[in-house]
Each structure stands twice: as structure tokens, then as C-alpha cells.
Amino acid sequence: MSGLENANPLVFQRSDDRPVLPEEEDDDIIDKIDDREVFDLIRAINDPEHPLSLEELNVVEESKVKVNDDESSVYIQFTPTIPHCSMATLIGLAIRVKLLRALPARFKVQVEISPGSHASEEAINKQLADKERVAAALENSHLLNVVNQCLEMRPK
């Protein structure tokens, strides 16, 4: 036995990289942050148990990313691969940390489990929404190390 909670997860195909438009490279044009841009930030986050990205495991999907640049808000729903995934809080924390590091500080980031996809959905959502608990978790050097491993770029 491998010791993995989900030893044989379904693997999905990665979406193509979004082409960069000339106006996006023009520093004189104000380019609003949109759903796809935020999805591109989180899609390559590494799963804590498998050598696969959250996109490849269908944990994150572009359709579950909602950005309102005018209101400086980002709302993400993610779906753990199994309903009793013990890594769900860690995955949510990795998504939250990635966005807090990558987006301008004006953005309010909300990360939640997709409704009905996890046995402890309410408790995990409460943890992820609590700024003090998130800050305390990131003060734990071991946990921060694991989150940083999830955020490391792997070769494609």
C-alpha cells in the first residue's frame, strides 16, 4: 500500500497557455486582472501528494475563479479529489498564499471548497477565511515549507 489517500487519481489534460496579447505587454495601457489571469497563477500549484498540478487533478478550474478588478476581489472554489482529503486545508492555504504573493495588496482573496465536495467543507472554509489562523499557520516553519514546495515551479 502506498500510504496515499487517493493513490490513483484521475488526471485531466492541462489547458493551453493563454496567448499574451500586445496590449497586455504595453505598460501604458491599464490592464485589468481577470479570471483567466488568476487561474493561470493557481493552475500550476503542485498537489501535496502527487507529482501533478492542481489543474491536472481538476482541483482548480477556470470556471470556478471569479475576479472583480473594480471591487478588488477574488473568489476561488476548489474541489479536492476525494471527499475526505486530509490535504484540503493545505491546498486551500497554498492557493491563498500564491494569490496573496502575486496579486496587488488591494485584493481581498476568498478561497473555499466547492459546495458538497468535502466532508469537512464548513470547517475548512472557516479556517481559510480566518486571517489570524492563516497567519498563524504560516508562522509554522514546517507548514510554510510544505506550502512553498506546493508553489515551486516544476518543468512542464
Side-chain angles (χ1 to χ4, degrees), residues 42-86:
I42 65 171
R43 66 190 268 200
I45 293 173
N46 303 310
D47 181 79
E49 276 195 322
H50 298 283
L52 298 164
S53 72
L54 296 184
E55 179 186 25
E56 290 169 315
L57 292 171
N58 214 34
V59 171
V60 295
E61 301 171 65
E62 185 177 354
S63 65
K64 293 185 177 181
V65 174
K66 303 294 177 223
V67 177
N68 185 327
D69 190 275
D70 294 330
E71 294 180 9
S72 300
S73 67
V74 174
Y75 177 72
I76 309 275
Q77 284 185 344
F78 69 99
T79 306
T81 58
I82 56 174
H84 289 72
C85 177
S86 66

Side-chain angles (χ1 to χ4, degrees), residues 115-134:
S117 67
H118 196 278
S120 301
E121 170 188 335
E122 194 175 309
I124 293 171
N125 286 345
K126 190 174 179 179
Q127 282 182 306
L128 293 172
D130 187 328
K131 289 180 184 177
E132 287 78 22
R133 288 172 88 169
V134 169

